[in-house]
Amino acid sequence: MCGIVAYLGHREACPIILKGLHRLEYRGYDSAGVALLNGELTVYKKKGKVADLEEFISDKDTHANVGMGHTRWATHGEPNDENAHPHYSTSERIAIIHNGIIENYAALKTHLQQQGHVFHSDTDTEVFVNLIEEIKKQNSCSLEEAVRLALHEVVGAYAIVVLSKDAPNQLIAARKGSPMVIGIGEGEFFIASDATPIIEYTNEVVYVNDYEIVVIRDGQLNIRSKEDVSQTPYIQKLEMALESIEKGGYPHFMLKEIFEQPRSILDSMRGRLELEAGHLNMGGFRAYEQKFVNAQRIVIVACGTSWHAGLVAEYLIEDLARIPVEVEYASEFRYRNPIITERDIVIAISQSGETADTLAAIELAKSKGATIFGVCNVVGSSIARATDAGAYTHAGPEIGVASTKAFTAQVTVLTLLAMIMGQKRGTISDTKLRELMVELDTIPAKVTKALELDAQIQVIAEEFKDATNFLYLGRGYNFPVALEGALKLKEISYIHAEGYPAAEMKHGPIALIDENMPMVVIATRDSSYEKVVSNIQEVKARKGRIIAIVSEGDTVIPAMAEFVIEVPHTSEILMPLVSVVPLQLLSYHIAVLRGCNVDQPRNLAKSVTVE
Ligand code: G6P
């Protein structure tokens, strides 16, 4: 949550910062601001999107070679101009931007008020900057030292950048629990929450670690620990193409990302599924093969869409590798007293690799001795670094807040993992494994075919755009798909939707069915097909309006459903990769027709770094 960006170099800082903020807007978009250092330390900030800030400053003097900007997802204090970042200290000689939460802000604020500091916002961030100012005054120390000492006093999560009028050519930054990456160019430096604001200027980056303080001054980058010990920056090469973070002719990132799925699924299999040689590889698995073979249990922790991918993985791993699997919401897991032993493997799934609850769940499981395997999309992310081993999903940057291609890439990687585990544990025959490998190889082409349903789905979206409720039903492997379809619709169109196991409908949701209730039933040809057909009859008998997702060539369900969407047939266990596609498109088109902001739905953020 919240995006931060900063620049120091020879170019005009403001345009670079604004462009960077647009790229980071997926992280939060309720207010935005910049601070520019040019002899004076000037802050401009505004409620609303980055575009509102741009308009606000269009007639202002923004000339500066040093500056920082912020796009906010509110935690403390409603979204308004005052609560927007950057925040000044009382003297207005220091300014800060902050991503995270300071948990002990109330006690600190009282103390600082007693020392004469004046507050203009409801934020925890304004407390942080005044704390730095107070420490600097009390200790007559440098800004850098004051920041370091302040970090010892705050409890919580932060990625901060600090500018001071008294340090005209200097950027100070620090992180704990919120992401931060430094870009190193020719005589210029960038700081951002992720690499997207940086990639068009440089591909040399340093991922800042927790408890590190970054000082950029006199053309030098220095990193020190909170204990003031110098750290050697580890410079890495970014492998990210600029086109991957632009819309490429699509009206929305979400649509672009839905249509990228044949490619992203293929990328997630690349080098892992070697059909001709008959091999399955997964680098991260190799070193922990024995742990997986002997695991007594697998616990999957994740949030949101990643949790749905985890549910698919539960079915896959139990089916193919015969290891008991539990799937937990990371936020629940971390606050109970889960039974985890050294023989357990915890799989953490996260697109962003930054979700605070998932990260905390990993730390808890680690403390109990479990082996942690990560499935992340963002390379170098906090979760990727906190795990013992893992597999990247290689879906490429996902910018639409509603996750689409990241989900199918996660499911693909988890399918491969379950297949490898089954192979190593001897719980899957060579013939079955070979069949699955052949079928998995066809999935990108089948997803391409499913995408051709777009025009048909637009017609259905038109029909149901004014609905107030939706039910999604599925069984077996299609049950998590029903949950995911409902989540997509809720997130971007604000229509209430629930996903249910089709048979459970009888225990409650059936009471909701009337002639106005749309029901999306995923009824592809699989082992529970007959049962789902019976569930459709039950809905039909109560006049529910049925939109059925069926396998190509189905002749039974078209006679019962009002709308039928035929997807290419595949093996039951691979079906989520295909059957989710029409649901993504349906929610997208409904949201567009309702005039919703598809890529930036209200109240949501792509990366949830607060608990
Ligand atoms: C947020 C996003 C969701 C995502 C969830 C988990 O709620 O809006 O799209 O599924 O976080 O995020 P992660 O990055 O851990 O997969």
Side-chain angles (χ1 to χ4, degrees):
M1 336 231 95
C2 301
I4 62 173
V5 59
Y7 177 79
L8 182 154
H10 44 81
R11 307 184 211 218
E12 280 297 321
C14 195
I16 293 174
I17 293 166
L18 290 171
K19 198 167 185 187
L21 289 181
H22 275 297
R23 299 242 167 96
L24 293 175
E25 227 173 355
Y26 73 86
R27 301 179 62 85
Y29 32 80
D30 55 41
S31 58
V34 290
L36 300 164
L37 193 54
N38 181 18
E40 291 304 311
L41 176 58
T42 313
V43 169
Y44 300 119
K45 51 189 191 170
K46 205 76 203 137
K47 177 181 170 177
K49 304 244 159 126
V50 177
D52 298 308
L53 172 72
E54 264 170 333
E55 198 189 322
F56 174 62
I57 62 175
S58 57
D59 58 349
K60 310 267 187 306
D61 174 13
T62 57
H63 169 65
N65 300 116
V66 184
M68 61 187 184
H70 186 272
T71 177
R72 179 171 186 247
W73 186 87
T75 57
H76 293 66
E78 63 171 282
N80 58 27
D81 293 354
E82 289 70 38
N83 289 333
H85 297 215
H87 289 282
Y88 277 127
S89 63
T90 303
S91 71
E92 298 196 355
R93 302 192 78 79
I94 307 175
I96 195 170
I97 51 175
H98 170 215
N99 166 28
I101 286 188
I102 303 307
E103 289 166 15
N104 59 337
Y105 85 103
L108 290 170
K109 188 169 182 174
T110 309
H111 169 72
L112 289 163
Q113 279 168 329
Q114 285 159 0
Q115 306 302 313
H117 291 264
V118 180
F119 291 86
H120 305 282
S121 77
D122 308 317
T123 65
D124 49 345
T125 305
E126 200 182 8
V127 173
F128 209 150
V129 70
N130 278 291
L131 178 66
I132 293 169
E133 178 163 277
E134 181 62 23
I135 291 175
K136 188 169 183 302
K137 190 172 98 196
Q138 294 291 334
N139 296 274
S140 307
C141 62
S142 66
L143 181 65
E144 175 186 342
E145 179 64 0
V147 171
R148 191 180 73 79
L149 294 173
L151 299 185
H152 287 267
E153 309 237 345
V154 295
V155 177
Y158 51 80
I160 55 164
V161 184
V162 180
L163 286 181
S164 168
K165 199 174 165 176
D166 305 316
N169 209 5
Q170 176 172 313
L171 285 178
I172 298 182
R175 77 155 263 184
K176 188 209 141 199
S178 297
M180 177 178 280
V181 56
I182 313 284
I184 305 172
E186 290 284 326
E188 59 184 350
F189 294 89
F190 307 80
I191 301 176
S193 298
D194 70 27
T196 56
I198 296 175
I199 54 169
E200 64 203 86
Y201 308 104
T202 178
N203 66 353
E204 297 211 332
V205 296
V206 174
Y207 292 97
V208 182
N209 294 311
D210 274 349
Y211 303 110
E212 286 182 343
I213 302 166
V214 176
V215 181
I216 296 168
R217 185 172 48 212
D218 303 331
Q220 299 285 328
L221 165 70
N222 289 299
I223 302 186
R224 304 188 79 77
S225 71
K226 211 166 127 192
E227 284 66 44
D228 211 17
V229 179
S230 176
Q231 310 288 306
T232 310
Y234 172 47
I235 300 174
Q236 302 188 42
K237 284 255 182 274
L238 259 186
E239 287 176 15
M240 190 191 277
L242 190 56
E243 312 82 73
S244 67
I245 56 165
E246 292 180 338
K247 282 192 197 143
Y250 285 90
H252 298 98
F253 279 110
M254 182 181 178
L255 191 62
K256 175 184 175 233
E257 287 157 4
I258 292 173
F259 273 84
E260 272 175 357
Q261 289 177 111
R263 202 264 315 137
S264 53
I265 292 174
L266 194 62
D267 285 347
S268 66
M269 297 195 281
R270 204 180 298 286
R272 293 172 174 159
L273 174 67
E274 289 184 21
L275 200 55
E276 283 188 10
H279 290 157
L280 289 171
N281 311 304
M282 194 170 279
F285 176 84
R286 221 168 295 133
Y288 287 84
E289 186 176 318
Q290 277 319 305
K291 287 262 183 195
F292 273 97
V293 168
N294 298 323
Q296 71 180 8
R297 194 174 57 135
I298 290 183
V299 178
I300 297 178
V301 291
C303 304
T305 289
S306 297
W307 186 80
H308 294 157
L311 284 184
V312 179
E314 176 183 24
Y315 289 49
L316 284 164
I317 296 170
E318 293 199 345
D319 245 4
L320 303 180
R322 310 302 297 150
I323 304 176
V325 180
E326 284 169 35
V327 189
E328 301 251 12
Y329 286 114
S331 54
E332 286 298 310
F333 176 85
R334 63 179 289 199
Y335 283 119
R336 33 189 209 85
N337 189 10
I339 300 166
I340 296 286
T341 73
E342 287 163 11
R343 285 193 56 205
D344 291 330
I345 292 180
V346 170
I347 301 181
I349 309 172
S350 175
Q351 186 287 126
S352 63
E354 301 295 344
T355 303
D357 284 320
T358 309
L359 203 48
I362 290 171
E363 296 308 333
L364 176 65
K366 253 189 189 172
S367 72
K368 291 174 182 283
T371 300
I372 320 289
F373 190 89
V375 176
C376 294
N377 192 35
V378 177
V379 176
S381 55
S382 303
I383 292 176
R385 288 184 293 151
T387 47
D388 296 307
Y392 283 118
T393 49
H394 299 306
E398 191 181 63
I399 295 171
V401 165
S403 187
T404 52
K405 66 172 180 172
F407 173 76
T408 45
Q410 287 166 342
V411 172
T412 307
V413 167
L414 291 160
T415 305
L416 286 162
L417 182 65
M419 286 162 69
I420 296 175
M421 283 165 59
Q423 183 185 35
K424 302 293 177 201
R425 285 170 55 85
T427 48
I428 176 171
S429 70
D430 288 349
T431 320
K432 173 127 190 248
L433 190 66
R434 179 74 200 164
E435 274 170 24
L436 268 178
M437 286 169 71
V438 170
E439 192 55 32
L440 188 55
D441 189 58
T442 68
I443 292 295
K446 289 183 174 168
V447 170
T448 303
K449 253 193 123 199
L451 290 167
E452 287 166 12
L453 297 162
D454 192 44
Q456 186 199 347
I457 293 170
Q458 280 187 50
V459 174
I460 301 176
E462 185 71 55
E463 181 73 24
F464 291 101
K465 67 179 193 308
D466 298 320
T468 47
N469 285 293
F470 257 80
L471 267 180
Y472 286 70
L473 303 181
R475 292 181 87 131
Y477 282 91
N478 280 325
F479 162 53
V481 176
L483 294 178
E484 177 59 10
L487 178 64
K488 287 290 85 85
L489 189 71
K490 270 188 280 223
E491 283 180 313
I492 61 170
S493 72
Y494 317 139
I495 295 175
H496 174 251
E498 269 189 76
Y500 246 80
E504 270 295 303
M505 176 190 66
K506 294 189 286 295
H507 303 288
I510 201 164
L512 299 171
I513 301 176
D514 61 18
E515 63 282 4
N516 298 316
M517 175 64 109
M519 314 273 290
V520 178
V521 188
I522 309 144
T524 50
R525 218 173 313 116
D526 60 22
S527 54
S528 49
Y529 176 77
E530 304 295 339
K531 310 272 177 210
V532 179
V533 169
S534 308
N535 299 138
I536 292 177
Q537 297 284 21
E538 289 156 12
V539 175
K540 199 171 155 57
R542 286 156 185 90
K543 300 195 167 50
R545 301 188 66 185
I546 299 160
I547 306 155
I549 315 289
V550 301
S551 299
E552 248 168 8
D554 189 310
T555 51
V556 178
I557 296 176
M560 301 191 268
E562 186 177 348
F563 292 94
V564 173
I565 299 170
E566 286 190 34
V567 293
H569 187 64
T570 183
S571 138
E572 175 166 1
I573 75 170
L574 302 178
M575 190 45 102
L577 292 166
V578 179
S579 59
V580 75
V581 173
L583 305 189
Q584 296 169 339
L585 288 168
L586 182 65
S587 59
Y588 171 78
H589 288 299
I590 290 179
V592 170
L593 289 167
R594 287 166 70 93
C596 300
N597 187 335
V598 170
D599 284 335
Q600 295 173 348
R602 70 183 178 211
N603 303 338
L604 296 180
K606 181 109 195 113
S607 175
V608 181
T609 52
V610 297
E611 53 171 285

